[in-house]
Amino acid sequence: MPCLITSCIGRIPITEKSCVRSQRWLASPVTTRISSNSLAPTVTNISSLVGRPRCSAFDTFKVKAIGREENKPRFPPQHQETQPGKEYLMHPLPQFSDPNYKPSAKLHGKVALVTGGDSGIGRAICYSFAKEGATIAFTYVKGDEDIDANDTLTIIKEAKTSDSSDPIAIPADLRYNRNCQKVVDEVITKYGRIDVLINNIAVQYKTYSLEDITEDRLERIFRTNIFSYIFLTRHAVKYMKKGSSIINTTSALGYTGHPDFLDYGSTKGAIVSFTRGLSQRLVNKGIRVNGVAPGPVWTPLEVSALDNEDIVIFGSQVPMDRAAQPYEIAPSYVFLASSDSTYFTGQVLHPDGIIIIYIHESTCIFITAKLAP
């Protein structure tokens, strides 16, 4: 019996016949369930789902690849006691650059503000943007991230094109509106405009019990992960012209959720909603708003949030059987900031190692596929 999926574009009938093509896409037989509640048709490869006794932020859709070693160590055990984490203390160091990357002046002449640009995905974004011709300003946490910030400044200066301006690193606690205003003012004073805003900072805490989510912790994670995005956007958009771009870093957890990362996942879901709503508000101004939702990525965020046992197997919970390196995520931001994506707004890219999730407003489809051997 067909059901109807309701969305802003109308009602789409889903029948047994219409599912045939989706079934062919999967690498093995599937169990298909289509809900009649007009919300969630689901195509799931049930036989391929394998749970893990340990926690990681992305094991909700664990798919065991044939021939892979289930308990093979991915990284040496390590944990940093404080957040934000420090990249220079990680082993191995995250890879921010791809030696095979060939820039083509996609961001020539643009000014980009990147929050959390000192390390992890933020550093990879700064490097890639600089290679593409952009002038870079990035924020960092004074004291905790001084060494990483200085390293990133050196990296950008070596990578930048001859006609872009020197980069600046701005120490700031972006949890508070007044500090976000100061950052924007400093960028405008230095460069005169902002063409690309990358909202990227985040903190993450593991939840062993609901009692762990104290009022102070909840305020810190929401102020860092979503308040800062809204505050910075409020101030930056005043100086952004037609053709400008805002890109928000969310997460696969914003879609899947996770029992051990309740508050973090909630902020990432909020970022998705903020991205979609803001894109509609700014579309008439010609400012595009999109997001990127990475899966597991080797960054300081992980070594400061996960314990030794989780780090050792980090990345094994996705079909690609490994965590991404930051340089593998950065091209998504280059694409969304460039003229290659002029018809993209309100969208989220998913470099997540095949946690395949499609959600469009009230239409919700989850597909998990096992890799072919």
Side-chain angles (χ1 to χ4, degrees):
M1 179 178 179
C3 70
L4 291 177
I5 301 176
T6 303
S7 73
C8 67
I9 59 174
R11 293 174 176 265
I12 306 172
I14 299 296
T15 65
E16 181 178 355
K17 182 177 180 180
S18 67
C19 290
V20 171
R21 180 173 294 179
S22 295
Q23 293 181 10
R24 288 174 180 170
W25 285 342
L26 301 180
S28 61
V30 300
T31 299
T32 302
R33 182 178 78 255
I34 301 179
S35 172
S36 60
N37 63 4
S38 77
L39 288 179
T42 305
V43 182
T44 307
N45 185 350
I46 299 298
S47 64
S48 67
L49 296 180
V50 179
R52 291 198 65 84
R54 295 297 310 171
C55 154
S56 180
F58 295 96
D59 61 7
T60 304
F61 292 100
K62 165 68 180 172
V63 182
K64 182 178 178 181
I66 296 175
R68 304 279 173 82
E69 296 182 44
E70 182 74 8
N71 296 314
K72 176 184 176 183
R74 272 64 178 182
F75 298 99
Q78 57 198 286
H79 176 72
Q80 297 182 20
E81 293 295 334
T82 59
Q83 292 199 42
K86 300 169 179 63
E87 183 157 322
Y88 74 93
L89 294 178
M90 295 175 65
H91 177 68
L93 290 173
Q95 300 173 32
F96 64 87
S97 65
D98 178 0
N100 298 316
Y101 185 81
K102 300 185 185 304
S104 55
K106 290 180 181 294
L107 304 177
H108 175 75
K110 292 184 180 294
V111 174
L113 170 58
V114 182
T115 68
D118 61 286
S119 62
I121 294 173
R123 175 182 287 182
I125 294 169
C126 289
Y127 171 80
S128 297
F129 276 33
K131 294 286 282 186
E132 293 289 353
T135 293
I136 310 297
F138 70 88
T139 70
Y140 68 99
V141 177
K142 187 175 182 179
D144 291 327
E145 297 178 327
D146 288 352
I147 294 176
D148 284 341
N150 287 331
D151 289 344
T152 299
L153 270 178
T154 300
I155 289 166
I156 297 172
K157 289 176 181 178
E158 293 176 352
K160 80 179 200 67
T161 57
S162 59
D163 53 352
S164 62
S165 300
D166 286 337
I168 57 172
I170 306 173
D173 182 352
L174 299 178
R175 293 177 294 175
Y176 300 98
N177 178 59
R178 63 183 179 275
N179 297 335
C180 294
Q181 173 74 74
K182 290 177 181 178
V183 167
V184 170
D185 289 346
E186 184 167 345
V187 175
I188 295 302
T189 299
K190 177 72 173 179
Y191 302 122
R193 69 184 194 279
I194 297 173
D195 301 304
V196 183
L197 172 63
I198 308 291
N199 288 309
N200 178 64
I201 63 170
V203 291
Q204 179 188 77
Y205 302 99
K206 190 171 178 179
T207 303
Y208 297 91
S209 163
L210 285 175
E211 298 300 317
D212 294 336
I213 307 177
T214 63
E215 184 174 349
D216 288 343
R217 167 172 149 169
L218 194 63
E219 182 173 353
R220 182 183 182 191
I221 196 168
F222 269 82
R223 280 193 171 276
T224 303
N225 294 14
I226 181 63
F227 282 25
S228 68
Y229 287 37
I230 297 173
F231 293 152
L232 266 172
T233 300
R234 280 178 55 198
H235 300 299
V237 77
K238 300 172 187 175
Y239 303 98
M240 301 180 80
K241 299 179 180 179
K242 182 177 181 179
S244 298
S245 179
I246 299 171
I247 306 171
N248 300 319
T249 302
T250 177
S251 168
L253 286 188
Y255 294 85
T256 67
H258 196 289
D260 295 315
F261 295 90
L262 292 174
D263 42 4
Y264 176 79
S266 298
T267 64
K268 293 302 180 176
I271 292 168
V272 173
S273 180
F274 174 62
T275 299
R276 288 177 171 162
L278 184 65
S279 69
Q280 297 172 56
R281 176 167 289 275
L282 297 181
V283 67
N284 290 334
K285 295 183 178 181
I287 299 173
R288 297 180 297 107
V289 185
N290 293 290
V292 179
V297 186
W298 184 236
T299 71
L301 182 70
E302 307 306 337
V303 296
S304 60
L306 303 179
D307 56 30
N308 287 331
E309 292 84 355
D310 296 332
I311 289 297
V312 168
I313 62 170
F314 184 65
S316 65
Q317 52 299 19
V318 294
M320 283 191 173
D321 198 44
R322 65 175 181 86
Q325 290 293 336
Y327 78 81
E328 297 177 290
I329 310 301
S332 294
Y333 294 84
V334 172
F335 170 72
L336 291 174
S338 74
S339 60
D340 291 343
S341 61
T342 52
Y343 204 56
F344 279 69
T345 195
Q347 306 303 307
V348 179
L349 301 185
H350 294 265
D352 55 23
I354 319 185
I355 303 172
I356 306 176
I357 303 168
Y358 171 74
I359 299 183
H360 183 270
E361 298 182 0
S362 59
T363 302
C364 179
I365 301 175
F366 295 83
I367 302 176
T368 304
K370 181 168 69 177
L371 290 181

